[in-house]
Amino acid sequence: MRELINMVVVLTGISLASGGLLASLRENTQERIDQQVLEFVKGPSVRSVFKDATNDPIATRFQLKDGEAVRTLFVGEIEGAFRGVALEAAGKGYKGEIGLVVAIDTQTGKVIGINVTTHSETPGLGAKAKTDPAFAAQFKGAPVSGPAKVTQDGGSINAISGATITSRAVAGGVSNAFTIYERLKPQIEQKLKEIRK
Amino acid sequence: MAKTLVQEFTKGLWAEIPPFRLVLGLCPTLAITNTLENAYGMGVAVTFVLTFSNILISALRKIIPPKVRIVAFIVVIATFVIVVELVMQAYTYALFLKLGIFIPLIVVNCIPMGRAEAFASKNGMVRSALDGLGLGLGYTIALSVLATFRQVIATGAITIYETPISLFGPAFEPFRFLVEAPGAFICLGLMLGLMNILGKK
């Protein structure tokens, strides 16, 4: 009996100390880890959609509540003004979700650029959505007022040959980004005003 | 046969150098020795975990009941592994991405567990600290040697920090095979053979 109690007490003690140490360490490193994840996971995509930005779009970011979700938006300084915002959206691809970063010019209401971040499409076919810059470049200048569509659906985006589903998914994802943008527009403009100050 | 404190430290560097002599911790040895940076990054992580888990287990050796000692060891080791994981994520994220799953897998690596059971639970704190530090350093050296060999021959370059440095210029014909998985086995085998020849008296 004594031995049993001893075992329980010692193991509880060790686990408590371990839990306490890790909780406090997590608390202290959380902010830096989030920043590193942004930098390494989303950083390359955000930088590539804001090729001409004169600021660091990763550093200039804000968060907005969108219903249940919290969205992180990145701000790009274009031609001397903070007018570009990049947001994340997703479309349903041939095999799972296709993650996108879409940058929108808030003054003209047109797309600055898009970039595929994550996908699990077929290599050589659907995967071209990420590897072939010519496909993504077609979205440049598309107006946010209407959804982006591939030519088969009456739009202007030429689908990747052999990967219509993927192309539709990307167009759908970009359109999702438009919807999110339109929904959050008043809040985004408010935030941009604060940043400009 | 009592060892001096210096011997306690230096045994890990040659006589008991982990992957070559004890032949422990081989999974990361084979998997991540494709660049020098990965190798010493892993080595430093293991050294940290090994040293601190050795010290703590040695300090607690009289109060840990023998029947639950393995559980207690695992909790201690796992704690330090998560410490390493969080710190790497916060400060060296690029390296963390490359080492990936092998950092959390230090928990089930035989070296910390083996040293806790075979050494730290029977010896004092100073000796345990030196034992951990020595073996960790030995592990780092072993991985670095193996990685240098593999990376230089396979790619003609060496990664000391982040970007590979080309050593032989454009005329070098890379022997890619050595950075693939089978190449790892062959290199490790050659290294073990070499160690046995050198260690023969």
Side-chain angles (χ1 to χ4, degrees):
Chain A
M1 194 59 199
R2 237 188 96 76
E3 197 194 0
L4 187 73
I5 293 168
N6 192 13
M7 286 197 281
V8 172
V9 169
V10 171
L11 275 185
T12 313
I14 293 177
S15 308
L16 273 179
S18 153
L21 172 76
L22 292 180
S24 77
L25 186 69
R26 173 135 194 101
E27 193 77 8
N28 286 316
T29 52
Q30 186 69 59
E31 202 176 312
R32 242 201 101 88
I33 292 176
D34 287 346
Q35 200 188 328
Q36 294 270 46
V37 171
L38 277 179
E39 185 66 35
F40 282 90
V41 180
K42 295 173 189 164
S45 292
V46 173
R47 290 229 165 79
S48 84
V49 290
F50 278 135
K51 265 196 291 290
D52 305 323
T54 42
N55 67 331
D56 179 7
I58 298 292
T60 326
R61 60 174 194 273
F62 58 88
Q63 289 188 321
L64 283 183
K65 264 214 172 112
D66 179 19
E68 293 284 288
V70 175
R71 297 189 188 277
T72 306
L73 287 89
F74 303 90
V75 181
E77 186 181 26
I78 290 153
E79 289 162 11
F82 288 103
R83 53 193 249 200
V85 286
L87 63 156
E88 287 176 275
K92 180 129 183 53
Y94 187 57
K95 290 179 187 164
E97 285 214 324
I98 300 178
L100 298 162
V101 169
V102 179
I104 296 165
D105 188 329
T106 53
Q107 267 177 23
T108 58
K110 284 181 178 160
V111 172
I112 299 171
I114 72 151
N115 196 289
V116 175
T117 49
T118 52
H119 73 88
S120 34
E121 302 303 293
T122 322
L125 292 171
K128 278 189 188 158
K130 187 181 172 84
T131 54
D132 185 1
F135 176 69
Q138 295 183 79
F139 289 93
K140 200 173 169 179
V144 294
S145 45
K149 279 181 185 163
V150 292
T151 44
Q152 284 95 324
D153 299 335
S156 60
I157 307 296
N158 287 318
I160 301 161
S161 60
T164 314
I165 296 178
T166 309
S167 310
R168 264 197 195 122
V170 173
V174 171
S175 307
N176 286 344
F178 293 168
T179 333
I180 298 167
Y181 172 74
E182 294 286 355
R183 191 164 59 223
L184 297 177
K185 207 170 174 183
Q187 285 165 278
I188 291 174
E189 284 184 346
Q190 185 65 32
K191 285 276 185 187
L192 283 178
K193 255 182 218 155
E194 285 166 29
I195 289 168
R196 283 189 197 115
K197 270 179 203 161
Chain B
M1 190 187 68
K3 283 185 175 133
T4 65
L5 291 177
V6 177
Q7 278 173 325
E8 218 61 270
F9 175 71
T10 53
K11 70 170 191 260
L13 302 183
W14 181 254
E16 293 182 21
I17 188 164
F20 299 154
R21 277 278 186 254
L22 302 178
V23 201
L24 286 180
L26 289 189
C27 192
T29 305
L30 292 168
I32 53 96
T33 52
N34 45 6
T35 70
L36 179 61
E37 189 192 20
N38 286 0
Y40 73 73
M42 185 73 192
V44 170
V46 169
T47 308
F48 173 85
V49 172
L50 193 53
T51 309
F52 283 93
S53 68
N54 259 8
I55 294 174
L56 199 63
I57 286 166
S58 170
L60 297 173
R61 71 187 188 278
K62 297 214 169 80
I63 59 162
I64 294 176
K67 278 185 185 165
V68 290
R69 67 180 193 284
I70 300 291
V71 186
F73 296 166
I74 292 177
V75 175
V76 170
I77 294 167
T79 307
F80 285 113
V81 170
I82 299 173
V83 169
V84 168
E85 206 184 341
L86 287 174
V87 170
M88 281 186 92
Q89 272 185 36
Y91 295 97
T92 56
Y93 198 82
L95 186 62
F96 172 79
L97 285 181
K98 276 183 263 170
L99 295 179
I101 189 70
F102 292 99
I103 293 296
L105 279 183
I106 298 174
V107 180
V108 289
N109 190 314
C110 290
I111 304 172
M113 211 47 212
R115 294 326 284 176
E117 171 74 6
F119 195 91
S121 62
K122 300 185 179 88
N123 288 282
M125 282 169 71
V126 178
R127 276 176 189 277
S128 298
L130 288 170
D131 175 79
L133 211 55
L135 260 87
L137 199 62
Y139 189 66
T140 311
I141 293 170
L143 289 191
S144 302
V145 170
L146 200 58
T148 307
F149 182 70
R150 285 179 68 192
Q151 198 191 0
V152 168
I153 294 184
T155 63
I158 190 98
T159 316
I160 292 166
Y161 183 69
E162 281 183 0
T163 42
I165 303 162
S166 185
L167 295 177
F168 306 117
F172 182 75
E173 196 63 51
F175 184 45
R176 292 293 309 174
F177 173 70
L178 282 189
V179 279
E180 311 293 339
F185 281 97
I186 289 171
C187 286
L188 182 66
L190 289 174
M191 216 57 98
L192 284 172
L194 192 69
M195 286 293 287
N196 280 347
I197 293 169
L198 289 176
K200 222 181 213 169
K201 293 219 178 87

